[in-house]
Amino acid sequence: MWGPEGLDEVEAELLGRPEELKGKDVLEIGAGAAQCARWLAGQGARPVALDLSHRQLQHALRIGGSFPLVCADASALPFADASFDLACSAYGALPFVADPRLVLREVRRVLRPGGRFVFSVTHPIRWAFPDEPGPEGLSVSASYFDRTPYVEQDDEGRAVYVEHHRTLGDRVRDVVAAGFRLVDLVEPEWPAWNTAEWGGWSPLRGSLIPGTAIFVCERD
């Protein structure tokens, strides 16, 4: 699943046709509980699920799966050059690092020539609007060009959650600077069947402004 809109890989085929996934070595970055890796394994791929959070990987262990789980930093991948055919990340890693080019360069390094990396993030335009699902979330409240990170702190002032804003142009330049070719930029529309509200996500907002941006990149 690429984002809250409900666009899934079965429909989108951004990593390739289902029959092409069988036997492919695939790295999921920012895997969380490894939902994507579990689906890929079901298609006959050979996934590896990587996440910085040991606790998230413990969830993945409890759910189960016959693929490797790796606890590591996405900006310093513990794999040899040209180890994978494909890589993917659904709302993982990239929004949470100050310099996403470090991650993108590492992903390119571990991909084989012709390898594809598909990643999704919150659509940059969402940063200009309040994170509310109702009408109050439809009025611009901040500058789209303000790249100040969103930070949550504990009672002692330590950062416990940090998310970094990049404009759409920033994201494109990051991809190109890391040595990728941008094949496609997908902005899923909110489907009529999805009536869910969650956080700032809702049919109301989703029908008017994009919520997810999916970047399809290839290593030439």
Side-chain angles (χ1 to χ4, degrees):
M1 193 73 69
W2 289 110
E5 293 84 2
L7 179 66
D8 63 26
E9 180 58 16
V10 174
E11 176 187 355
E13 296 186 355
L14 300 181
L15 292 170
R17 294 192 299 272
E19 61 271 20
E20 296 174 341
L21 296 175
K22 188 174 182 179
K24 293 291 181 67
D25 296 309
V26 189
L27 176 62
E28 183 186 4
I29 298 163
Q35 293 94 329
C36 298
R38 199 167 290 106
W39 180 85
L40 287 161
Q43 311 310 304
R46 296 191 296 264
V48 174
L50 178 140
D51 201 282
L52 185 63
S53 169
H54 185 259
R55 180 171 292 182
Q56 285 287 343
L57 295 176
Q58 286 179 314
H59 291 315
L61 275 175
R62 281 193 286 271
I63 297 170
S66 58
F67 47 86
L69 304 174
V70 178
C71 190
D73 188 335
S75 62
L77 296 173
F79 307 109
D81 296 356
S83 295
F84 297 95
D85 301 299
L86 300 165
C88 63
S89 184
Y91 279 77
L94 286 157
F96 310 109
V97 294
D99 187 354
R101 295 185 185 187
L102 295 176
V103 175
L104 288 163
R105 290 187 188 114
E106 276 293 273
V107 176
R108 185 185 182 279
R109 179 183 65 79
V110 302
L111 280 176
R112 294 170 183 138
R116 175 170 285 202
F117 178 38
V118 183
F119 69 92
S120 62
V121 295
T122 299
H123 197 290
I125 195 63
R126 282 290 181 106
W127 281 74
F129 295 83
D131 195 24
E132 299 288 345
E136 63 274 22
L138 299 178
S139 298
V140 172
S141 62
S143 170
Y144 170 74
F145 301 103
D146 183 359
R147 295 168 178 82
T148 304
Y150 170 77
V151 181
E152 294 179 3
Q153 297 177 320
D154 62 17
D155 293 338
E156 297 181 6
R158 293 174 299 195
V160 294
Y161 181 91
V162 179
E163 190 170 348
H164 296 270
H165 171 48
R166 309 285 285 167
T167 68
L168 203 58
D170 291 339
R171 290 284 182 204
V172 171
R173 284 186 288 275
D174 290 343
V175 165
V176 174
F180 280 106
R181 178 169 60 92
L182 184 62
V183 176
D184 199 0
L185 171 56
V186 181
E187 299 166 292
E189 294 187 44
W190 195 274
W193 60 261
N194 190 346
T195 59
E197 284 194 9
W198 173 75
W201 303 92
S202 67
L204 174 64
R205 296 187 82 201
S207 65
L208 296 173
I209 57 174
T212 298
I214 309 172
F215 296 81
V216 183
C217 319
E218 286 187 353
R219 173 183 174 174
D220 288 331

